[in-house]
PDB file of all heavy atoms in Angstrom:
ATOM      1  N   PHE A   6     -49.778 -31.369  34.208  1.00 98.00           N
ATOM      2  CA  PHE A   6     -49.254 -30.096  34.699  1.00 98.00           C
ATOM      3  C   PHE A   6     -49.078 -29.098  33.564  1.00 98.00           C
ATOM      4  O   PHE A   6     -49.333 -27.902  33.728  1.00 98.00           O
ATOM      5  CB  PHE A   6     -47.926 -30.290  35.444  1.00 98.00           C
ATOM      6  CG  PHE A   6     -47.587 -29.123  36.325  1.00 98.00           C
ATOM      7  CD1 PHE A   6     -48.045 -29.063  37.630  1.00 98.00           C
ATOM      8  CD2 PHE A   6     -46.825 -28.066  35.846  1.00 98.00           C
ATOM      9  CE1 PHE A   6     -47.742 -27.980  38.444  1.00 98.00           C
ATOM     10  CE2 PHE A   6     -46.522 -26.979  36.643  1.00 98.00           C
ATOM     11  CZ  PHE A   6     -46.982 -26.933  37.950  1.00 98.00           C
ATOM     12  N   LEU A   7     -48.665 -29.571  32.386  1.00 98.00           N
ATOM     13  CA  LEU A   7     -48.544 -28.687  31.226  1.00 98.00           C
ATOM     14  C   LEU A   7     -49.917 -28.159  30.819  1.00 98.00           C
ATOM     15  O   LEU A   7     -50.061 -26.977  30.492  1.00 98.00           O
ATOM     16  CB  LEU A   7     -47.874 -29.411  30.063  1.00 98.00           C
ATOM     17  CG  LEU A   7     -47.647 -28.591  28.792  1.00 98.00           C
ATOM     18  CD1 LEU A   7     -46.786 -27.359  29.063  1.00 98.00           C
ATOM     19  CD2 LEU A   7     -47.018 -29.460  27.704  1.00 98.00           C
ATOM     20  N   ASP A   8     -50.934 -29.014  30.850  1.00 98.00           N
ATOM     21  CA  ASP A   8     -52.301 -28.550  30.587  1.00 98.00           C
ATOM     22  C   ASP A   8     -52.650 -27.385  31.513  1.00 98.00           C
ATOM     23  O   ASP A   8     -53.177 -26.356  31.081  1.00 98.00           O
ATOM     24  CB  ASP A   8     -53.317 -29.677  30.826  1.00 98.00           C
ATOM     25  CG  ASP A   8     -53.242 -30.783  29.794  1.00 98.00           C
ATOM     26  OD1 ASP A   8     -52.476 -30.674  28.826  1.00 98.00           O
ATOM     27  OD2 ASP A   8     -53.966 -31.783  29.986  1.00 98.00           O
ATOM     28  N   HIS A   9     -52.357 -27.565  32.795  1.00 98.00           N
ATOM     29  CA  HIS A   9     -52.681 -26.553  33.802  1.00 98.00           C
ATOM     30  C   HIS A   9     -51.980 -25.229  33.495  1.00 98.00           C
ATOM     31  O   HIS A   9     -52.574 -24.152  33.618  1.00 98.00           O
ATOM     32  CB  HIS A   9     -52.271 -27.082  35.173  1.00 98.00           C
ATOM     33  CG  HIS A   9     -52.569 -26.169  36.315  1.00 98.00           C
ATOM     34  ND1 HIS A   9     -53.776 -25.531  36.493  1.00 98.00           N
ATOM     35  CD2 HIS A   9     -51.793 -25.774  37.370  1.00 98.00           C
ATOM     36  CE1 HIS A   9     -53.741 -24.791  37.594  1.00 98.00           C
ATOM     37  NE2 HIS A   9     -52.539 -24.915  38.143  1.00 98.00           N
ATOM     38  N   MET A  10     -50.725 -25.284  33.068  1.00 98.00           N
ATOM     39  CA  MET A  10     -49.979 -24.053  32.781  1.00 98.00           C
ATOM     40  C   MET A  10     -50.500 -23.359  31.514  1.00 98.00           C
ATOM     41  O   MET A  10     -50.629 -22.127  31.480  1.00 98.00           O
ATOM     42  CB  MET A  10     -48.485 -24.361  32.640  1.00 98.00           C
ATOM     43  CG  MET A  10     -47.813 -24.786  33.932  1.00 98.00           C
ATOM     44  SD  MET A  10     -47.898 -23.564  35.268  1.00 98.00           S
ATOM     45  CE  MET A  10     -49.247 -24.219  36.275  1.00 98.00           C
ATOM     46  N   ILE A  11     -50.818 -24.121  30.476  1.00 98.00           N
ATOM     47  CA  ILE A  11     -51.358 -23.507  29.258  1.00 98.00           C
ATOM     48  C   ILE A  11     -52.738 -22.916  29.537  1.00 98.00           C
ATOM     49  O   ILE A  11     -53.092 -21.849  29.017  1.00 98.00           O
ATOM     50  CB  ILE A  11     -51.393 -24.529  28.097  1.00 98.00           C
ATOM     51  CG1 ILE A  11     -49.968 -24.959  27.726  1.00 98.00           C
ATOM     52  CG2 ILE A  11     -52.094 -23.929  26.872  1.00 98.00           C
ATOM     53  CD1 ILE A  11     -49.896 -26.101  26.721  1.00 98.00           C
ATOM     54  N   GLU A  12     -53.512 -23.581  30.386  1.00 98.00           N
ATOM     55  CA  GLU A  12     -54.810 -23.032  30.794  1.00 98.00           C
ATOM     56  C   GLU A  12     -54.631 -21.708  31.550  1.00 98.00           C
ATOM     57  O   GLU A  12     -55.396 -20.757  31.337  1.00 98.00           O
ATOM     58  CB  GLU A  12     -55.545 -24.046  31.663  1.00 98.00           C
ATOM     59  CG  GLU A  12     -56.044 -25.259  30.891  1.00 98.00           C
ATOM     60  CD  GLU A  12     -56.466 -26.417  31.769  1.00 98.00           C
ATOM     61  OE1 GLU A  12     -56.377 -26.306  33.008  1.00 98.00           O
ATOM     62  OE2 GLU A  12     -56.873 -27.460  31.216  1.00 98.00           O
ATOM     63  N   GLN A  13     -53.620 -21.654  32.419  1.00 98.00           N
ATOM     64  CA  GLN A  13     -53.336 -20.401  33.125  1.00 98.00           C
ATOM     65  C   GLN A  13     -52.954 -19.300  32.137  1.00 98.00           C
ATOM     66  O   GLN A  13     -53.376 -18.143  32.274  1.00 98.00           O
ATOM     67  CB  GLN A  13     -52.200 -20.598  34.140  1.00 98.00           C
ATOM     68  CG  GLN A  13     -52.523 -21.515  35.294  1.00 98.00           C
ATOM     69  CD  GLN A  13     -53.574 -20.939  36.227  1.00 98.00           C
ATOM     70  OE1 GLN A  13     -53.819 -19.743  36.255  1.00 98.00           O
ATOM     71  NE2 GLN A  13     -54.195 -21.797  37.003  1.00 98.00           N
ATOM     72  N   PHE A  14     -52.143 -19.666  31.146  1.00 98.00           N
ATOM     73  CA  PHE A  14     -51.767 -18.689  30.120  1.00 98.00           C
ATOM     74  C   PHE A  14     -52.998 -18.131  29.423  1.00 98.00           C
ATOM     75  O   PHE A  14     -53.154 -16.926  29.252  1.00 98.00           O
ATOM     76  CB  PHE A  14     -50.821 -19.320  29.098  1.00 98.00           C
ATOM     77  CG  PHE A  14     -50.615 -18.462  27.883  1.00 98.00           C
ATOM     78  CD1 PHE A  14     -49.836 -17.318  27.944  1.00 98.00           C
ATOM     79  CD2 PHE A  14     -51.240 -18.772  26.680  1.00 98.00           C
ATOM     80  CE1 PHE A  14     -49.671 -16.501  26.842  1.00 98.00           C
ATOM     81  CE2 PHE A  14     -51.076 -17.969  25.570  1.00 98.00           C
ATOM     82  CZ  PHE A  14     -50.287 -16.827  25.649  1.00 98.00           C
ATOM     83  N   SER A  15     -53.897 -19.004  29.011  1.00 98.00           N
ATOM     84  CA  SER A  15     -55.101 -18.566  28.312  1.00 98.00           C
ATOM     85  C   SER A  15     -55.966 -17.675  29.193  1.00 98.00           C
ATOM     86  O   SER A  15     -56.365 -16.570  28.803  1.00 98.00           O
ATOM     87  CB  SER A  15     -55.902 -19.789  27.856  1.00 98.00           C
ATOM     88  OG  SER A  15     -57.144 -19.409  27.307  1.00 98.00           O
ATOM     89  N   ARG A  16     -56.240 -18.135  30.403  1.00 98.00           N
ATOM     90  CA  ARG A  16     -57.147 -17.407  31.291  1.00 98.00           C
ATOM     91  C   ARG A  16     -56.634 -15.999  31.595  1.00 98.00           C
ATOM     92  O   ARG A  16     -57.388 -15.029  31.587  1.00 98.00           O
ATOM     93  CB  ARG A  16     -57.332 -18.200  32.593  1.00 98.00           C
ATOM     94  CG  ARG A  16     -58.181 -17.528  33.667  1.00 98.00           C
ATOM     95  CD  ARG A  16     -59.618 -17.250  33.220  1.00 98.00           C
ATOM     96  NE  ARG A  16     -60.295 -18.391  32.674  1.00 98.00           N
ATOM     97  CZ  ARG A  16     -60.950 -19.298  33.380  1.00 98.00           C
ATOM     98  NH1 ARG A  16     -60.996 -19.220  34.684  1.00 98.00           N
ATOM     99  NH2 ARG A  16     -61.559 -20.288  32.766  1.00 98.00           N
ATOM    100  N   HIS A  17     -55.339 -15.867  31.832  1.00 98.00           N
ATOM    101  CA  HIS A  17     -54.805 -14.579  32.276  1.00 98.00           C
ATOM    102  C   HIS A  17     -54.354 -13.675  31.124  1.00 98.00           C
ATOM    103  O   HIS A  17     -54.194 -12.469  31.326  1.00 98.00           O
ATOM    104  CB  HIS A  17     -53.683 -14.802  33.287  1.00 98.00           C
ATOM    105  CG  HIS A  17     -54.191 -15.392  34.566  1.00 98.00           C
ATOM    106  ND1 HIS A  17     -54.794 -14.629  35.549  1.00 98.00           N
ATOM    107  CD2 HIS A  17     -54.248 -16.678  35.006  1.00 98.00           C
ATOM    108  CE1 HIS A  17     -55.171 -15.413  36.542  1.00 98.00           C
ATOM    109  NE2 HIS A  17     -54.854 -16.657  36.237  1.00 98.00           N
ATOM    110  N   SER A  18     -54.185 -14.227  29.945  1.00 98.00           N
ATOM    111  CA  SER A  18     -53.881 -13.397  28.772  1.00 98.00           C
ATOM    112  C   SER A  18     -55.141 -12.953  28.050  1.00 98.00           C
ATOM    113  O   SER A  18     -55.098 -12.043  27.212  1.00 98.00           O
ATOM    114  CB  SER A  18     -52.999 -14.167  27.785  1.00 98.00           C
ATOM    115  OG  SER A  18     -53.716 -15.265  27.216  1.00 98.00           O
ATOM    116  N   LEU A  19     -56.274 -13.622  28.341  1.00 98.00           N
ATOM    117  CA  LEU A  19     -57.540 -13.450  27.614  1.00 98.00           C
ATOM    118  C   LEU A  19     -57.429 -13.899  26.156  1.00 98.00           C
ATOM    119  O   LEU A  19     -58.255 -13.533  25.325  1.00 98.00           O
ATOM    120  CB  LEU A  19     -58.054 -12.000  27.687  1.00 98.00           C
ATOM    121  CG  LEU A  19     -58.378 -11.486  29.088  1.00 98.00           C
ATOM    122  CD1 LEU A  19     -58.941 -10.068  29.010  1.00 98.00           C
ATOM    123  CD2 LEU A  19     -59.357 -12.417  29.807  1.00 98.00           C
ATOM    124  N   ILE A  20     -56.409 -14.696  25.859  1.00 98.00           N
ATOM    125  CA  ILE A  20     -56.278 -15.309  24.537  1.00 98.00           C
ATOM    126  C   ILE A  20     -56.972 -16.669  24.589  1.00 98.00           C
ATOM    127  O   ILE A  20     -56.607 -17.523  25.401  1.00 98.00           O
ATOM    128  CB  ILE A  20     -54.795 -15.475  24.146  1.00 98.00           C
ATOM    129  CG1 ILE A  20     -54.105 -14.114  24.030  1.00 98.00           C
ATOM    130  CG2 ILE A  20     -54.665 -16.258  22.833  1.00 98.00           C
ATOM    131  CD1 ILE A  20     -52.598 -14.196  23.835  1.00 98.00           C
ATOM    132  N   ASP A  21     -57.987 -16.868  23.758  1.00 98.00           N
ATOM    133  CA  ASP A  21     -58.632 -18.179  23.690  1.00 98.00           C
ATOM    134  C   ASP A  21     -57.642 -19.177  23.087  1.00 98.00           C
ATOM    135  O   ASP A  21     -56.994 -18.887  22.077  1.00 98.00           O
ATOM    136  CB  ASP A  21     -59.879 -18.121  22.811  1.00 98.00           C
ATOM    137  CG  ASP A  21     -60.977 -17.240  23.390  1.00 98.00           C
ATOM    138  OD1 ASP A  21     -60.929 -16.926  24.591  1.00 98.00           O
ATOM    139  OD2 ASP A  21     -61.890 -16.871  22.615  1.00 98.00           O
ATOM    140  N   VAL A  22     -57.536 -20.344  23.704  1.00 98.00           N
ATOM    141  CA  VAL A  22     -56.575 -21.353  23.257  1.00 98.00           C
ATOM    142  C   VAL A  22     -57.248 -22.717  23.185  1.00 98.00           C
ATOM    143  O   VAL A  22     -57.854 -23.174  24.165  1.00 98.00           O
ATOM    144  CB  VAL A  22     -55.365 -21.446  24.205  1.00 98.00           C
ATOM    145  CG1 VAL A  22     -54.442 -22.598  23.796  1.00 98.00           C
ATOM    146  CG2 VAL A  22     -54.581 -20.142  24.245  1.00 98.00           C
ATOM    147  N   THR A  23     -57.128 -23.351  22.035  1.00 98.00           N
ATOM    148  CA  THR A  23     -57.410 -24.776  21.901  1.00 98.00           C
ATOM    149  C   THR A  23     -56.088 -25.447  21.583  1.00 98.00           C
ATOM    150  O   THR A  23     -55.378 -25.021  20.668  1.00 98.00           O
ATOM    151  CB  THR A  23     -58.420 -25.055  20.779  1.00 98.00           C
ATOM    152  OG1 THR A  23     -59.660 -24.404  21.099  1.00 98.00           O
ATOM    153  CG2 THR A  23     -58.662 -26.544  20.621  1.00 98.00           C
ATOM    154  N   CYS A  24     -55.731 -26.463  22.348  1.00 98.00           N
ATOM    155  CA  CYS A  24     -54.442 -27.137  22.162  1.00 98.00           C
ATOM    156  C   CYS A  24     -54.621 -28.616  22.443  1.00 98.00           C
ATOM    157  O   CYS A  24     -54.770 -29.019  23.599  1.00 98.00           O
ATOM    158  CB  CYS A  24     -53.386 -26.527  23.095  1.00 98.00           C
ATOM    159  SG  CYS A  24     -51.754 -27.282  22.981  1.00 98.00           S
ATOM    160  N   HIS A  25     -54.623 -29.405  21.382  1.00 98.00           N
ATOM    161  CA  HIS A  25     -54.762 -30.854  21.516  1.00 98.00           C
ATOM    162  C   HIS A  25     -53.494 -31.505  20.972  1.00 98.00           C
ATOM    163  O   HIS A  25     -53.110 -31.253  19.823  1.00 98.00           O
ATOM    164  CB  HIS A  25     -55.970 -31.361  20.730  1.00 98.00           C
ATOM    165  CG  HIS A  25     -57.278 -30.853  21.259  1.00 98.00           C
ATOM    166  ND1 HIS A  25     -58.443 -30.893  20.529  1.00 98.00           N
ATOM    167  CD2 HIS A  25     -57.616 -30.301  22.451  1.00 98.00           C
ATOM    168  CE1 HIS A  25     -59.433 -30.375  21.241  1.00 98.00           C
ATOM    169  NE2 HIS A  25     -58.947 -30.006  22.415  1.00 98.00           N
ATOM    170  N   VAL A  26     -52.869 -32.312  21.803  1.00 98.00           N
ATOM    171  CA  VAL A  26     -51.608 -32.961  21.431  1.00 98.00           C
ATOM    172  C   VAL A  26     -51.686 -34.450  21.711  1.00 98.00           C
ATOM    173  O   VAL A  26     -52.093 -34.862  22.800  1.00 98.00           O
ATOM    174  CB  VAL A  26     -50.413 -32.371  22.221  1.00 98.00           C
ATOM    175  CG1 VAL A  26     -49.100 -32.974  21.726  1.00 98.00           C
ATOM    176  CG2 VAL A  26     -50.382 -30.863  22.152  1.00 98.00           C
ATOM    177  N   LYS A  27     -51.288 -35.241  20.722  1.00 98.00           N
ATOM    178  CA  LYS A  27     -51.033 -36.661  20.922  1.00 98.00           C
ATOM    179  C   LYS A  27     -49.548 -36.861  20.651  1.00 98.00           C
ATOM    180  O   LYS A  27     -49.098 -36.691  19.513  1.00 98.00           O
ATOM    181  CB  LYS A  27     -51.882 -37.506  19.973  1.00 98.00           C
ATOM    182  CG  LYS A  27     -53.374 -37.420  20.264  1.00 98.00           C
ATOM    183  CD  LYS A  27     -54.174 -38.262  19.301  1.00 98.00           C
ATOM    184  CE  LYS A  27     -55.669 -38.143  19.578  1.00 98.00           C
ATOM    185  NZ  LYS A  27     -56.485 -38.893  18.595  1.00 98.00           N
ATOM    186  N   GLY A  28     -48.804 -37.179  21.708  1.00 97.00           N
ATOM    187  CA  GLY A  28     -47.358 -37.283  21.576  1.00 97.00           C
ATOM    188  C   GLY A  28     -46.819 -38.625  22.016  1.00 97.00           C
ATOM    189  O   GLY A  28     -47.537 -39.456  22.577  1.00 97.00           O
ATOM    190  N   ASP A  29     -45.531 -38.817  21.768  1.00 97.00           N
ATOM    191  CA  ASP A  29     -44.868 -40.075  22.100  1.00 97.00           C
ATOM    192  C   ASP A  29     -44.430 -40.079  23.569  1.00 97.00           C
ATOM    193  O   ASP A  29     -43.243 -40.169  23.888  1.00 97.00           O
ATOM    194  CB  ASP A  29     -43.690 -40.331  21.164  1.00 97.00           C
ATOM    195  CG  ASP A  29     -42.663 -39.196  21.155  1.00 97.00           C
ATOM    196  OD1 ASP A  29     -42.890 -38.156  21.836  1.00 97.00           O
ATOM    197  OD2 ASP A  29     -41.628 -39.346  20.487  1.00 97.00           O
ATOM    198  N   LEU A  30     -45.416 -39.999  24.453  1.00 96.00           N
ATOM    199  CA  LEU A  30     -45.119 -39.947  25.883  1.00 96.00           C
ATOM    200  C   LEU A  30     -44.537 -41.256  26.403  1.00 96.00           C
ATOM    201  O   LEU A  30     -43.978 -41.280  27.508  1.00 96.00           O
ATOM    202  CB  LEU A  30     -46.382 -39.581  26.667  1.00 96.00           C
ATOM    203  CG  LEU A  30     -46.910 -38.164  26.409  1.00 96.00           C
ATOM    204  CD1 LEU A  30     -48.225 -37.948  27.155  1.00 96.00           C
ATOM    205  CD2 LEU A  30     -45.891 -37.111  26.816  1.00 96.00           C
ATOM    206  N   HIS A  31     -44.627 -42.319  25.614  1.00 95.00           N
ATOM    207  CA  HIS A  31     -43.959 -43.561  26.005  1.00 95.00           C
ATOM    208  C   HIS A  31     -42.441 -43.414  25.916  1.00 95.00           C
ATOM    209  O   HIS A  31     -41.709 -44.184  26.541  1.00 95.00           O
ATOM    210  CB  HIS A  31     -44.429 -44.721  25.111  1.00 95.00           C
ATOM    211  CG  HIS A  31     -44.058 -44.558  23.676  1.00 95.00           C
ATOM    212  ND1 HIS A  31     -44.725 -43.674  22.835  1.00 95.00           N
ATOM    213  CD2 HIS A  31     -43.080 -45.132  22.924  1.00 95.00           C
ATOM    214  CE1 HIS A  31     -44.188 -43.742  21.637  1.00 95.00           C
ATOM    215  NE2 HIS A  31     -43.189 -44.602  21.659  1.00 95.00           N
ATOM    216  N   VAL A  32     -41.975 -42.419  25.150  1.00 95.00           N
ATOM    217  CA  VAL A  32     -40.536 -42.122  25.076  1.00 95.00           C
ATOM    218  C   VAL A  32     -40.167 -41.222  26.247  1.00 95.00           C
ATOM    219  O   VAL A  32     -39.417 -41.607  27.136  1.00 95.00           O
ATOM    220  CB  VAL A  32     -40.168 -41.459  23.728  1.00 95.00           C
ATOM    221  CG1 VAL A  32     -38.700 -41.077  23.705  1.00 95.00           C
ATOM    222  CG2 VAL A  32     -40.504 -42.395  22.570  1.00 95.00           C
TER     223      VAL A  32
END
């Protein structure tokens, strides 16, 4: 869902965004 929201931000701001995260989602 966070991916979807950041994608919406990029598409509608016309700001190109690359965002790759590896996080401690097990926490």
